[in-house]
């Protein structure tokens, strides 16, 4: 680095961090320190957020060694009160000068529209960065988002874990600071076992290389990539491919400083257990990566990442194999025990499980969903009997031992148990798909019956929770109703199911327990769903004007999400046509003209009263296209309908260029207003295109 800049290194060494906290704390610390430098006016270059299980570190390049000098101006009292009638300084002037550390003669005058004022101008010399760093570090650490802090020893300070060492350097120089009772220095610590001795850092630039020599990969991205490539290579080496879950990879990355990839095996007899249960055991309990063959079948192998480079890897592998066996044995035991009884025989147990105090048990909820699903079966082209059966069984796997041990397998195990019980394949699949989409990027259910159950289940939950007054408020959404609404809407739209949302929610509300006025909550619930729909389109990149163009023409008591989606996409297509801007502007103009008109236009246009060539041409063009447009609208082909209406651009433009709408003849005026009203209605049958950007 130059004489003007230096590399800054800050490392906080401690006991092993919770794996879920490492990435966030590392990023937040780097952002906070860089922000502190920026607030102090200290320029810098690239910022690196580094970290490992026993350390948080920040390395910043080209940090200016001092603040820049800063010109300042401090305003004092008005001259009218700063000097008496004889021009002598008053106590106000002398006090201001004294506070500035100068004499009254050193003060200057500032002329403003409000009068003249005394001012003190000068240049403040920038402080050395090393003087600023202790305050910046302390502020950054005190503002880290740590929900649960701890004390250690006789310290009164608190942090996420006990702190054992602190490094703070500018190039080769140590910057003195005391953090959590520990003085800064230039010594870090290496791997707990491979390099327990201190690591002396000669220069801040040497950090990552020095730590690598001490068996610690402090670059989180480098360490993660090392693990990823190692796990992939090991999977190929043992004849398969590793199943790499991104969250598990991040967790393992936060647990090891010196990753060493190893593989082990387990008894092939365990493969009779559903693979999802085995994978949950391996990933959730042991943090192992499962392995599949070329056909996607689970192999009796696993990959683990050790935090030590053992001289005897076979012993490490044997230890891991010994640990995983009882976990898999538990899964096999639960599988065998659960299969001893059918799902049907367990249904009665749902009556002992409370869904919500005012809404009854899971058995009550299942029957409500079954009734609703059977009613809407034809809209999803499914069998009503299968819909009822699937809904009655959908929650039963919650009372099995496997799901009690592995809650994340709900639905998945229901599918397996239903298949074992001989239930219809569509019913078995729906027991799993009812939970889709499980998260934002998840797909909706693939089968119509699965989508029907997903919609009915969410409609019951939404109406029930709204009925008991537990609608989401602010950021609080304990029943995940926002996610439920999005899942319902996506299932209807992406599944291409023409279902009236308002009618669906009314039907769901009618099935809620007696004594709850669920019907009264349908309107606010529809509005709630529309806001979720607005959010979906926003995330997909559609402008708010497209949503408003459709929302303004659809009554709240007749919202069909699939139809809404088709209209919005049609507006999106229309907006890209060359004629769109002109026609959007024309519709705005028509709206304003009709609003300001003193009369109500006739319902029909009188063709005989059209005397101007431009108005006759517009009327003819409209009537020629009207039958085709109406037919396309009836089919839901809104994009095609708007494309036909876009052909009206030239006659519309000629009309406004050559025709005076507000004629002195009242009859002519009324007829021209009727013509414009007719044109407006042709567009409003699809959307209010005046909400779209116009060519002006």
């Amino acid at each position: 680095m130059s004489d003007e800049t230096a590399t800054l290194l800050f490392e906080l060494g401690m006991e092993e961090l919770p794996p879920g906290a490492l990435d966030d704390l590392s990023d937040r610390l780097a952002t906070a320190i860089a922000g502190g430098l920026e607030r102090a006016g200290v320029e810098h270059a690239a910022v690196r957020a580094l970290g490992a299980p026993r350390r948080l570190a920040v390395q910043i390049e080209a940090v200016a060694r001092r603040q820049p000098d800063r010109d300042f101006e401090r305003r004092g009292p008005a001259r009218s009160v700063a000097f008496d009638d004889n021009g002598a300084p008053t106590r106000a002037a002398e006090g201001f000068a004294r506070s500035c550390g100068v004499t009254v003669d050193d003060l200057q005058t500032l002329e403003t529209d409000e009068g003249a004022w005394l001012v003190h101008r000068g240049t403040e010399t920038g402080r050395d960065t090393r003087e600023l760093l202790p305050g910046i570090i302390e502020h950054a650490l005190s503002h880290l988002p740590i929900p649960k802090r701890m004390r250690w020893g006789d310290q009164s300070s608190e942090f996420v874990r006990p702190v054992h060492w602190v490094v703070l350097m500018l190039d080769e120089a140590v910057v003195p600071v005391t953090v959590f009772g520990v003085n800064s220095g230039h010594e870090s610590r290496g791997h707990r076992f491979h390099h327990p001795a201190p690591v002396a850092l000669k220069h801040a630039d040497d950090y990552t290389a020095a730590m690598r020599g001490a068996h610690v990969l402090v670059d989180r991205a480098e360490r993660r990539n090392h693990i990823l490539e190692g796990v992939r290579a090991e999977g190929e080496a043992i004849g398969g491919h590793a199943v790499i879950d991104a969250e598990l990879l991040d967790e393992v990355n936060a647990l090891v400083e010196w990753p060493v990839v190893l593989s082990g095996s387990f008894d092939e007899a365990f493969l009779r257990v559903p693979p999802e249960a085995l994978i949950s055991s391996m990933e959730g309990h042991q943090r192992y990566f499962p392995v599949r063959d070329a056909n996607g079948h689970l192999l009796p192998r696993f990959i683990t990442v050790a935090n030590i480079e053992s001289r005897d890897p076979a012993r490490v592998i044997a230890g891991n194999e010994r640990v995983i066996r009882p976990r898999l044995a538990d899964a096999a035991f639960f599988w065998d025990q659960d299969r001893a009884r059918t799902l049907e025989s367990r249904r009665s147990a749902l009556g002992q499980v409370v869904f919500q105090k005012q809404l009854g048990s899971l058995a009550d909820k299942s029957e409500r969903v079954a009734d609703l699903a059977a009613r809407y079966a034809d809209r999803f082209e499914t069998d009503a009997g299968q819909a009822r059966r699937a809904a009655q069984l959908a929650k039963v796997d919650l009372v099995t031992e496997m799901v009690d041990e592995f809650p994340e397998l709900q639905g998945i195990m229901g599918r397996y148990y239903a298949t074992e019980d001989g239930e219809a394949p569509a019913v078995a699949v729906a027991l799993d798909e009812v939970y889709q989409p499980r998260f934002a990027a998840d797909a909706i259910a693939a089968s119509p019956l699965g989508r029907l159950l997903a919609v009915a289940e969410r409609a019951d939950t939404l109406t029930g929770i709204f009925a008991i007054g537990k609608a989401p408020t602010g950021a609080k959404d304990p029943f995940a109703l926002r996610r439920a609404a999005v899942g319902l809407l996506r299932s209807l739209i992406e599944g291409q199911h023409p279902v009236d949302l308002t009618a669906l929610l009314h039907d769901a509300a009618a099935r809620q327990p007696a004594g709850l006025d669920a019907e009264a909550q349908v309107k606010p619930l529809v509005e709630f769903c529309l806001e979720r729909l607005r959010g979906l389109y926003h995330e997909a990149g559609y402008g708010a004007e497209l949503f408003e163009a459709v929302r303004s023409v659809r009554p709240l008591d007749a919202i069909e999400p699939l139809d809404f989606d088709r209209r919005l996409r049609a507006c999106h297509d229309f907006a890209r046509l060359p004629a769109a801007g002109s026609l959007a502007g024309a519709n705005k103009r028509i709206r304003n003209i009709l609003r300001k008109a003193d009369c109500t236009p006739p319902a029909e246009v009188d063709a005989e009263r059209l005397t101007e060539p431009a108005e006759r041409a517009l009327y003819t063009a409209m009537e020629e296209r009207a039958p085709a447009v109406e037919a396309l609208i009836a089919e839901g082909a809104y994009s095609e309908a708007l494309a036909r209406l876009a052909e009206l651009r030239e006659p519309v433009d000629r009309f406004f260029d050559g025709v005076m709408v507000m004629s002195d003849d009242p009859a002519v005026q009324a007829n021209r207003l009727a013509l414009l009203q007719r044109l407006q209605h042709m567009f409003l049958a699809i959307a209010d295109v005046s909400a779209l950007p116009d060519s002006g």
Side-chain angles (χ1 to χ4, degrees), residues 106-125:
D106 294 325
L107 298 175
Q108 301 176 37
T109 299
L110 172 67
E111 298 285 349
T112 71
D113 294 339
E114 299 174 352
W117 308 80
L118 290 183
V119 295
H120 173 51
R121 296 188 179 98
T123 300
E124 183 180 6
T125 302

PDB file of all heavy atoms in Angstrom, residues 106-125:
ATOM      1  N   ASP A 106     -11.555  37.983  15.041  1.00  0.00           N
ATOM      2  CA  ASP A 106     -11.341  36.885  14.091  1.00  0.00           C
ATOM      3  C   ASP A 106     -12.635  36.424  13.430  1.00  0.00           C
ATOM      4  O   ASP A 106     -12.606  35.649  12.466  1.00  0.00           O
ATOM      5  CB  ASP A 106     -10.711  35.681  14.805  1.00  0.00           C
ATOM      6  CG  ASP A 106      -9.309  35.978  15.302  1.00  0.00           C
ATOM      7  OD1 ASP A 106      -8.598  36.730  14.593  1.00  0.00           O
ATOM      8  OD2 ASP A 106      -8.926  35.472  16.377  1.00  0.00           O
ATOM      9  N   LEU A 107     -13.780  36.875  13.958  1.00  0.00           N
ATOM     10  CA  LEU A 107     -15.060  36.457  13.398  1.00  0.00           C
ATOM     11  C   LEU A 107     -15.373  37.209  12.122  1.00  0.00           C
ATOM     12  O   LEU A 107     -14.888  38.321  11.898  1.00  0.00           O
ATOM     13  CB  LEU A 107     -16.180  36.679  14.422  1.00  0.00           C
ATOM     14  CG  LEU A 107     -16.057  35.897  15.730  1.00  0.00           C
ATOM     15  CD1 LEU A 107     -17.168  36.298  16.692  1.00  0.00           C
ATOM     16  CD2 LEU A 107     -16.090  34.390  15.472  1.00  0.00           C
ATOM     17  N   GLN A 108     -16.183  36.593  11.252  1.00  0.00           N
ATOM     18  CA  GLN A 108     -16.570  37.213   9.995  1.00  0.00           C
ATOM     19  C   GLN A 108     -18.075  37.423   9.979  1.00  0.00           C
ATOM     20  O   GLN A 108     -18.798  36.995  10.879  1.00  0.00           O
ATOM     21  CB  GLN A 108     -16.136  36.324   8.824  1.00  0.00           C
ATOM     22  CG  GLN A 108     -14.632  36.078   8.785  1.00  0.00           C
ATOM     23  CD  GLN A 108     -14.247  35.133   7.674  1.00  0.00           C
ATOM     24  OE1 GLN A 108     -14.825  35.175   6.583  1.00  0.00           O
ATOM     25  NE2 GLN A 108     -13.278  34.252   7.947  1.00  0.00           N
ATOM     26  N   THR A 109     -18.542  38.082   8.920  1.00  0.00           N
ATOM     27  CA  THR A 109     -19.963  38.401   8.795  1.00  0.00           C
ATOM     28  C   THR A 109     -20.570  37.609   7.646  1.00  0.00           C
ATOM     29  O   THR A 109     -19.976  37.512   6.560  1.00  0.00           O
ATOM     30  CB  THR A 109     -20.182  39.901   8.550  1.00  0.00           C
ATOM     31  OG1 THR A 109     -19.666  40.644   9.662  1.00  0.00           O
ATOM     32  CG2 THR A 109     -21.672  40.204   8.384  1.00  0.00           C
ATOM     33  N   LEU A 110     -21.758  37.062   7.895  1.00  0.00           N
ATOM     34  CA  LEU A 110     -22.509  36.340   6.873  1.00  0.00           C
ATOM     35  C   LEU A 110     -23.773  37.122   6.559  1.00  0.00           C
ATOM     36  O   LEU A 110     -24.601  37.367   7.447  1.00  0.00           O
ATOM     37  CB  LEU A 110     -22.887  34.934   7.375  1.00  0.00           C
ATOM     38  CG  LEU A 110     -23.841  34.126   6.473  1.00  0.00           C
ATOM     39  CD1 LEU A 110     -23.145  33.781   5.156  1.00  0.00           C
ATOM     40  CD2 LEU A 110     -24.312  32.864   7.185  1.00  0.00           C
ATOM     41  N   GLU A 111     -23.907  37.577   5.307  1.00  0.00           N
ATOM     42  CA  GLU A 111     -25.070  38.333   4.882  1.00  0.00           C
ATOM     43  C   GLU A 111     -26.104  37.371   4.305  1.00  0.00           C
ATOM     44  O   GLU A 111     -25.796  36.586   3.398  1.00  0.00           O
ATOM     45  CB  GLU A 111     -24.689  39.359   3.812  1.00  0.00           C
ATOM     46  CG  GLU A 111     -23.689  40.409   4.275  1.00  0.00           C
ATOM     47  CD  GLU A 111     -24.341  41.445   5.183  1.00  0.00           C
ATOM     48  OE1 GLU A 111     -25.593  41.451   5.268  1.00  0.00           O
ATOM     49  OE2 GLU A 111     -23.596  42.242   5.793  1.00  0.00           O
ATOM     50  N   THR A 112     -27.339  37.402   4.812  1.00  0.00           N
ATOM     51  CA  THR A 112     -28.428  36.560   4.309  1.00  0.00           C
ATOM     52  C   THR A 112     -29.658  37.424   4.098  1.00  0.00           C
ATOM     53  O   THR A 112     -29.680  38.616   4.442  1.00  0.00           O
ATOM     54  CB  THR A 112     -28.778  35.438   5.307  1.00  0.00           C
ATOM     55  OG1 THR A 112     -29.433  36.007   6.441  1.00  0.00           O
ATOM     56  CG2 THR A 112     -27.535  34.693   5.759  1.00  0.00           C
ATOM     57  N   ASP A 113     -30.702  36.843   3.511  1.00  0.00           N
ATOM     58  CA  ASP A 113     -31.966  37.561   3.316  1.00  0.00           C
ATOM     59  C   ASP A 113     -32.598  37.919   4.648  1.00  0.00           C
ATOM     60  O   ASP A 113     -33.412  38.846   4.728  1.00  0.00           O
ATOM     61  CB  ASP A 113     -32.948  36.685   2.514  1.00  0.00           C
ATOM     62  CG  ASP A 113     -32.457  36.453   1.094  1.00  0.00           C
ATOM     63  OD1 ASP A 113     -31.618  37.252   0.628  1.00  0.00           O
ATOM     64  OD2 ASP A 113     -32.908  35.468   0.463  1.00  0.00           O
ATOM     65  N   GLU A 114     -32.220  37.187   5.691  1.00  0.00           N
ATOM     66  CA  GLU A 114     -32.801  37.439   7.002  1.00  0.00           C
ATOM     67  C   GLU A 114     -31.990  38.429   7.822  1.00  0.00           C
ATOM     68  O   GLU A 114     -32.366  38.785   8.941  1.00  0.00           O
ATOM     69  CB  GLU A 114     -32.904  36.111   7.779  1.00  0.00           C
ATOM     70  CG  GLU A 114     -33.785  35.078   7.093  1.00  0.00           C
ATOM     71  CD  GLU A 114     -33.739  33.737   7.805  1.00  0.00           C
ATOM     72  OE1 GLU A 114     -32.910  33.605   8.731  1.00  0.00           O
ATOM     73  OE2 GLU A 114     -34.515  32.847   7.433  1.00  0.00           O
ATOM     74  N   GLY A 115     -30.832  38.827   7.293  1.00  0.00           N
ATOM     75  CA  GLY A 115     -30.002  39.776   8.004  1.00  0.00           C
ATOM     76  C   GLY A 115     -28.548  39.352   8.030  1.00  0.00           C
ATOM     77  O   GLY A 115     -28.139  38.422   7.322  1.00  0.00           O
ATOM     78  N   ALA A 116     -27.746  40.030   8.854  1.00  0.00           N
ATOM     79  CA  ALA A 116     -26.317  39.755   8.952  1.00  0.00           C
ATOM     80  C   ALA A 116     -26.032  39.011  10.247  1.00  0.00           C
ATOM     81  O   ALA A 116     -26.610  39.304  11.302  1.00  0.00           O
ATOM     82  CB  ALA A 116     -25.530  41.055   8.894  1.00  0.00           C
ATOM     83  N   TRP A 117     -25.100  38.051  10.162  1.00  0.00           N
ATOM     84  CA  TRP A 117     -24.789  37.206  11.311  1.00  0.00           C
ATOM     85  C   TRP A 117     -23.279  37.102  11.459  1.00  0.00           C
ATOM     86  O   TRP A 117     -22.534  37.134  10.482  1.00  0.00           O
ATOM     87  CB  TRP A 117     -25.364  35.791  11.123  1.00  0.00           C
ATOM     88  CG  TRP A 117     -26.828  35.764  10.784  1.00  0.00           C
ATOM     89  CD1 TRP A 117     -27.394  35.981   9.566  1.00  0.00           C
ATOM     90  CD2 TRP A 117     -27.898  35.528  11.699  1.00  0.00           C
ATOM     91  NE1 TRP A 117     -28.757  35.896   9.639  1.00  0.00           N
ATOM     92  CE2 TRP A 117     -29.104  35.615  10.948  1.00  0.00           C
ATOM     93  CE3 TRP A 117     -27.987  35.261  13.051  1.00  0.00           C
ATOM     94  CZ2 TRP A 117     -30.351  35.440  11.520  1.00  0.00           C
ATOM     95  CZ3 TRP A 117     -29.228  35.083  13.624  1.00  0.00           C
ATOM     96  CH2 TRP A 117     -30.411  35.174  12.873  1.00  0.00           C
ATOM     97  N   LEU A 118     -22.837  36.905  12.700  1.00  0.00           N
ATOM     98  CA  LEU A 118     -21.436  36.577  12.923  1.00  0.00           C
ATOM     99  C   LEU A 118     -21.205  35.106  12.590  1.00  0.00           C
ATOM    100  O   LEU A 118     -22.041  34.246  12.901  1.00  0.00           O
ATOM    101  CB  LEU A 118     -21.042  36.833  14.379  1.00  0.00           C
ATOM    102  CG  LEU A 118     -20.957  38.297  14.844  1.00  0.00           C
ATOM    103  CD1 LEU A 118     -20.474  38.351  16.290  1.00  0.00           C
ATOM    104  CD2 LEU A 118     -20.035  39.102  13.946  1.00  0.00           C
ATOM    105  N   VAL A 119     -20.086  34.820  11.967  1.00  0.00           N
ATOM    106  CA  VAL A 119     -19.734  33.431  11.671  1.00  0.00           C
ATOM    107  C   VAL A 119     -18.272  33.202  11.980  1.00  0.00           C
ATOM    108  O   VAL A 119     -17.451  34.139  11.941  1.00  0.00           O
ATOM    109  CB  VAL A 119     -20.003  33.042  10.189  1.00  0.00           C
ATOM    110  CG1 VAL A 119     -21.483  33.087   9.872  1.00  0.00           C
ATOM    111  CG2 VAL A 119     -19.193  33.911   9.240  1.00  0.00           C
ATOM    112  N   HIS A 120     -17.980  31.950  12.295  1.00  0.00           N
ATOM    113  CA  HIS A 120     -16.595  31.536  12.463  1.00  0.00           C
ATOM    114  C   HIS A 120     -16.301  30.499  11.400  1.00  0.00           C
ATOM    115  O   HIS A 120     -16.959  29.462  11.331  1.00  0.00           O
ATOM    116  CB  HIS A 120     -16.372  30.938  13.852  1.00  0.00           C
ATOM    117  CG  HIS A 120     -15.002  30.332  14.019  1.00  0.00           C
ATOM    118  ND1 HIS A 120     -13.838  31.009  13.700  1.00  0.00           N
ATOM    119  CD2 HIS A 120     -14.617  29.108  14.476  1.00  0.00           C
ATOM    120  CE1 HIS A 120     -12.799  30.238  13.943  1.00  0.00           C
ATOM    121  NE2 HIS A 120     -13.240  29.078  14.420  1.00  0.00           N
ATOM    122  N   ARG A 121     -15.345  30.817  10.536  1.00  0.00           N
ATOM    123  CA  ARG A 121     -14.958  29.901   9.458  1.00  0.00           C
ATOM    124  C   ARG A 121     -13.546  29.404   9.710  1.00  0.00           C
ATOM    125  O   ARG A 121     -12.701  30.122  10.252  1.00  0.00           O
ATOM    126  CB  ARG A 121     -15.024  30.580   8.103  1.00  0.00           C
ATOM    127  CG  ARG A 121     -16.425  31.016   7.691  1.00  0.00           C
ATOM    128  CD  ARG A 121     -16.430  31.501   6.243  1.00  0.00           C
ATOM    129  NE  ARG A 121     -17.760  31.910   5.805  1.00  0.00           N
ATOM    130  CZ  ARG A 121     -18.206  33.160   5.765  1.00  0.00           C
ATOM    131  NH1 ARG A 121     -17.402  34.151   6.170  1.00  0.00           N
ATOM    132  NH2 ARG A 121     -19.413  33.434   5.338  1.00  0.00           N
ATOM    133  N   GLY A 122     -13.349  28.149   9.313  1.00  0.00           N
ATOM    134  CA  GLY A 122     -12.018  27.592   9.488  1.00  0.00           C
ATOM    135  C   GLY A 122     -11.900  26.240   8.825  1.00  0.00           C
ATOM    136  O   GLY A 122     -12.803  25.785   8.126  1.00  0.00           O
ATOM    137  N   THR A 123     -10.788  25.608   9.049  1.00  0.00           N
ATOM    138  CA  THR A 123     -10.543  24.280   8.496  1.00  0.00           C
ATOM    139  C   THR A 123     -10.217  23.329   9.634  1.00  0.00           C
ATOM    140  O   THR A 123      -9.304  23.585  10.432  1.00  0.00           O
ATOM    141  CB  THR A 123      -9.378  24.296   7.488  1.00  0.00           C
ATOM    142  OG1 THR A 123      -9.702  25.181   6.410  1.00  0.00           O
ATOM    143  CG2 THR A 123      -9.126  22.904   6.947  1.00  0.00           C
ATOM    144  N   GLU A 124     -10.986  22.243   9.693  1.00  0.00           N
ATOM    145  CA  GLU A 124     -10.768  21.239  10.726  1.00  0.00           C
ATOM    146  C   GLU A 124      -9.808  20.173  10.194  1.00  0.00           C
ATOM    147  O   GLU A 124     -10.068  19.561   9.151  1.00  0.00           O
ATOM    148  CB  GLU A 124     -12.102  20.583  11.126  1.00  0.00           C
ATOM    149  CG  GLU A 124     -11.954  19.570  12.245  1.00  0.00           C
ATOM    150  CD  GLU A 124     -13.299  18.945  12.628  1.00  0.00           C
ATOM    151  OE1 GLU A 124     -14.302  19.226  11.940  1.00  0.00           O
ATOM    152  OE2 GLU A 124     -13.334  18.182  13.602  1.00  0.00           O
ATOM    153  N   THR A 125      -8.728  19.978  10.884  1.00  0.00           N
ATOM    154  CA  THR A 125      -7.740  18.992  10.452  1.00  0.00           C
ATOM    155  C   THR A 125      -8.273  17.575  10.681  1.00  0.00           C
ATOM    156  O   THR A 125      -8.805  17.262  11.746  1.00  0.00           O
ATOM    157  CB  THR A 125      -6.429  19.174  11.224  1.00  0.00           C
ATOM    158  OG1 THR A 125      -5.951  20.504  11.026  1.00  0.00           O
ATOM    159  CG2 THR A 125      -5.374  18.178  10.733  1.00  0.00           C
TER     160      THR A 125
END
